Amino acid sequence: MSSNNNKQHFKVCFCWSRGFKLRGGEIPEDIKQVFESYSVNGIMSIDNLISFLEKEQKEVNVTKEAQNIFNSLKHHHNIVHKRGLNLDAFFKYLIGDYNFAHQSKVHQNMDAPLAHYYIYTGHNSYLTGNQLSSDCSTEPIKKALKKGVRVIELDLWPNITKDDIDVRHGGTLTTPVKLSKCLKAIKEVAFSNSEYPVILTFEDHLHPYPHLQKKVAQMVKKTFGSMLFIPQSQMDEFPSPNSLKNKILISTKPPPKSSAESDNKVIITERTFGE
């Protein structure tokens, strides 16, 4: 099988080829008309593209965006002229990732309770690879947060000497990373992509070691300080994302007193973080 911009050719019985026109590859007439309005001799320069973005797309401060569009299409040598974009390149831009249907800024109402929203959530956020033998590291955590992930899961285990806390995937050969390093990394990049709250889910395997649970609470409070959300009283519902901007929330289970209680995840309270 071979192809060009508008046709695909298939060999029939190994003797001859037959061509089929690709209807999906045809550029609509209205797109051609727009391109003609913002091009000269079939080439859309970067200045022409800026005019298109400002007048047709109603965008502002687009010089950098226009350059990014050009850069993203550089490797398509057959559709990018050294002086600008031809019609095929312009069409590729329109149907590509750089032409978002919505701007990246949040446009929804963010004043409802937090539980009313879908949340971009990570799982085993500390693993660099597979769940059986890869390393645990702060780098996947930082990468996830920079991509916009808002829920980071950390599995908490006692270290070998039972005097500190490791983050690792239990019952596997994964190498641990210290909880303190994870918390510092989270603080560093938590809001680099979004100012909306970050939720840290602690899978707590420290129940036999209350002194380590206390150490976690002290560590969290010391690391995040005023960034940490601590409810002052029992809540009937969660606060809104807008009211929790630039806040860190902790989600975990309390020490099990009964099977019913251990099934309920809670946000750590003020008493948990007491000195």
Side-chain angles (χ1 to χ4, degrees), residues 106-113 117 196 240-243 245:
V106 175
H107 59 277
Q108 299 94 343
N109 175 13
M110 303 301 285
D111 291 316
Y117 300 86
Y196 288 104
S240 70
N242 272 340
S243 68
K245 284 182 177 179

Side-chain angles (χ1 to χ4, degrees), residues 46-61:
I46 193 165
D47 290 334
N48 297 144
L49 179 58
I50 289 172
S51 295
F52 166 78
L53 294 173
E54 292 175 339
K55 295 177 182 179
E56 302 294 336
Q57 305 288 69
K58 309 301 181 185
E59 298 184 33
V60 295
N61 301 322

Side-chain angles (χ1 to χ4, degrees), residues 83-266:
R83 293 185 291 109
L85 308 180
N86 63 17
L87 176 60
D88 286 333
F90 178 64
F91 184 58
K92 186 174 183 65
Y93 149 68
L94 290 179
I95 62 175
D97 292 339
Y98 270 95
N99 188 32
F100 296 111
H102 297 287
Q103 295 185 1
S104 58
K105 65 181 182 181
V106 175
H107 59 277
Q108 299 94 343
N109 175 13
M110 303 301 285
D111 291 316
L114 184 64
H116 290 203
Y117 300 86
Y118 290 105
I119 302 177
Y120 193 2
T121 301
H123 176 65
N124 291 342
S125 310
Y126 48 85
L127 289 176
T128 59
N130 68 71
Q131 299 191 60
L132 297 178
S133 60
S134 65
D135 293 334
C136 302
S137 169
T138 61
E139 290 307 311
I141 297 172
K142 292 164 70 173
K143 184 177 180 180
L145 289 168
K146 289 177 181 179
K147 289 174 61 179
V149 171
R150 297 291 86 189
V151 179
I152 297 294
E153 181 191 37
L154 301 177
D155 293 359
L156 309 185
W157 294 84
N159 67 353
I160 295 177
T161 55
K162 308 296 188 294
D163 62 354
D164 204 355
I165 302 96
D166 283 340
V167 173
R168 60 182 174 86
H169 197 213
T172 69
L173 299 177
T174 56
T175 57
V177 60
K178 287 186 176 297
L179 173 63
S180 57
K181 290 185 177 181
C182 294
L183 297 181
K184 290 176 183 176
I186 290 166
K187 180 181 181 181
E188 179 184 338
V189 300
F191 305 107
S192 60
N193 177 278
S194 170
E195 59 187 347
Y196 288 104
V198 169
I199 301 171
L200 304 186
T201 298
F202 289 163
E203 188 171 303
D204 184 358
H205 300 278
L206 305 174
H207 294 150
Y209 309 99
H211 69 288
L212 291 182
Q213 290 183 316
K214 183 177 181 180
K215 186 171 183 176
V216 171
Q218 293 170 341
M219 198 181 295
V220 167
K221 195 170 184 180
K222 181 178 180 180
T223 302
F224 297 122
S226 61
M227 296 169 64
L228 188 66
F229 171 70
I230 302 177
Q232 301 303 312
S233 60
Q234 185 69 33
M235 297 183 300
D236 294 327
E237 61 182 10
F238 287 102
S240 70
N242 272 340
S243 68
L244 291 170
K245 284 182 177 179
N246 298 303
K247 288 292 185 181
I248 303 285
L249 285 71
I250 307 297
S251 174
T252 189
K253 293 181 180 180
K257 294 180 180 178
S258 68
S259 58
E261 182 179 344
S262 64
D263 287 338
N264 296 319
K265 280 196 172 183
V266 299

Side-chain angles (χ1 to χ4, degrees), residues 46 49 63-77 80 85 98:
I46 193 165
L49 179 58
T63 301
K64 184 176 180 180
E65 180 184 353
Q67 188 61 59
N68 287 339
I69 292 169
F70 267 69
N71 293 341
S72 72
L73 295 168
K74 274 183 179 178
H75 60 286
H76 297 282
H77 300 296
V80 180
L85 308 180
Y98 270 95

Side-chain angles (χ1 to χ4, degrees), residues 32 34-45 48 85:
K32 293 179 181 179
V34 170
F35 179 78
E36 290 174 2
S37 300
Y38 291 93
S39 63
V40 178
N41 297 325
I43 297 297
M44 177 182 283
S45 69
N48 297 144
L85 308 180

